[in-house]
Amino acid sequence: MMSVNRSRRAHDFEMLTLHSVTAGYGETTVLRDVNFTVGDGEVVALLGPNGAGKTTLLRTATGFVKPRSGRVEFGGADLTGHRPHAFVTRGACHLPEGRGIFPSLTVRENLRIQARSRDMNEVVAEAAELFPVLGSRLRQTAGSLSGGEQQMLALSRAYLTRPKLVLIDEASLGLAPLAVDRIYDALRQLVERGLSLVIVEQYVQKALDLASTVYILNRGEVI
Ligand code: ATP
């Protein structure tokens, strides 16, 4: 029988905290009084049924949705109401559902955007070492890659920008089992580098294998 009874590790430092956050879109309230914490180096799985508010929680945690009430702290600073840029510059890397890559641009152009001002030869070498298939597809448009390859390209941002916290929405949505394994190998490597990770995942077992803490969201409330 599967056990999900894990004791929470003590973390010296809270990377991300949502304190009593209520948030939504227009008149619609999606998150209700949510408390959510990710420690330094901690892996958190965020699970829940469709429409529970998982994507909205990630978007609120990185400044894309402004909380109606409550507080969002990141890297020790109160960033409530700040724009996504403030979160990015402090080391947040949000990989949205749908991958967040530019389908009409080539793999190389996507890597250039991801890596901002870093040296391109270095960036290409790093991406190709991580995901060899990307190294052989540099001139191909991202939209013509397979789903698994597109997810690898999206995930390379989490390496190239050296973030402190990666939030990944539906890492394995629509992927074949082998591609899912490859993505999880890459996520495991990220965790070994010591960064914090939040994963929203439909393959519950995959997420539980990696996570030390599990939050379950239902109708916008942490249960
Ligand atoms: P799924 O597992 O299906 O992706 P989720 O748990 O990620 O769902 P959200 O995408 O956060 O859930 O959606 C929560 C609720 O907010 C849903 O009822 C959805 O219709 C609504 N919602 C999401 N985005 C918007 C938006 N931009 N405007 C209005 N309502 C929205």
Side-chain angles (χ1 to χ4, degrees):
M1 200 167 75
M2 185 178 78
S3 165
V4 291
N5 183 17
R6 290 148 201 250
S7 57
R8 183 157 201 180
R9 268 190 294 146
H11 293 273
D12 301 339
F13 177 70
E14 289 181 355
M15 184 58 65
L16 169 74
T17 312
L18 272 62
H19 293 280
S20 302
V21 163
T22 294
Y25 307 94
E27 305 274 281
T28 315
T29 300
V30 176
L31 301 179
R32 296 164 205 278
D33 201 23
V34 164
N35 291 298
F36 182 85
T37 300
V38 186
D40 189 18
E42 187 174 28
V43 181
V44 171
L46 176 59
L47 308 176
N50 290 126
K54 304 179 296 294
T55 296
T56 305
L57 194 157
L58 297 192
R59 292 171 60 82
T60 307
T62 51
F64 288 95
V65 170
K66 271 190 193 175
R68 219 171 277 156
S69 62
R71 230 169 49 246
V72 180
E73 288 171 15
F74 181 69
D78 185 344
L79 295 188
T80 315
H82 283 243
R83 312 278 300 167
H85 182 254
F87 291 82
V88 173
T89 53
R90 286 174 172 82
C93 175
H94 182 169
L95 304 177
E97 197 177 344
R99 323 219 195 276
I101 57 174
F102 297 92
S104 62
L105 301 183
T106 64
V107 169
R108 188 185 167 85
E109 287 162 343
N110 270 278
L111 291 173
R112 180 186 294 283
I113 290 167
Q114 288 178 356
R116 291 174 242 157
S117 53
R118 285 189 56 197
D119 175 79
M120 255 328 263
N121 291 330
E122 216 179 281
V123 163
V124 167
E126 198 177 326
E129 191 189 336
L130 187 64
F131 300 116
V133 66
L134 293 182
S136 62
R137 305 293 174 86
L138 293 171
R139 293 204 188 94
Q140 190 173 327
T141 55
S144 66
L145 297 172
S146 73
E149 290 161 356
Q150 288 188 26
Q151 189 58 280
M152 290 174 202
L153 178 59
L155 203 52
S156 58
R157 181 152 64 89
Y159 288 84
L160 300 174
T161 59
R162 312 256 190 272
K164 295 187 176 127
L165 169 70
V166 176
L167 306 101
I168 180 160
D169 202 349
E170 305 277 15
S172 51
L173 189 69
L175 301 186
L178 265 179
V180 175
D181 288 346
R182 186 70 196 86
I183 295 301
Y184 269 82
D185 288 345
L187 289 177
R188 207 170 290 278
Q189 280 181 47
L190 273 183
V191 173
E192 281 163 10
R193 292 184 180 195
L195 53 71
S196 311
L197 184 63
V198 180
I199 4 176
V200 170
E201 180 57 86
Q202 53 167 352
Y203 290 111
V204 172
Q205 191 56 53
K206 280 281 174 200
L208 293 180
D209 287 347
L210 202 60
S212 56
T213 303
V214 181
Y215 280 84
I216 299 179
L217 203 59
N218 191 32
R219 296 173 186 232
E221 287 177 306
V222 173
I223 57 167

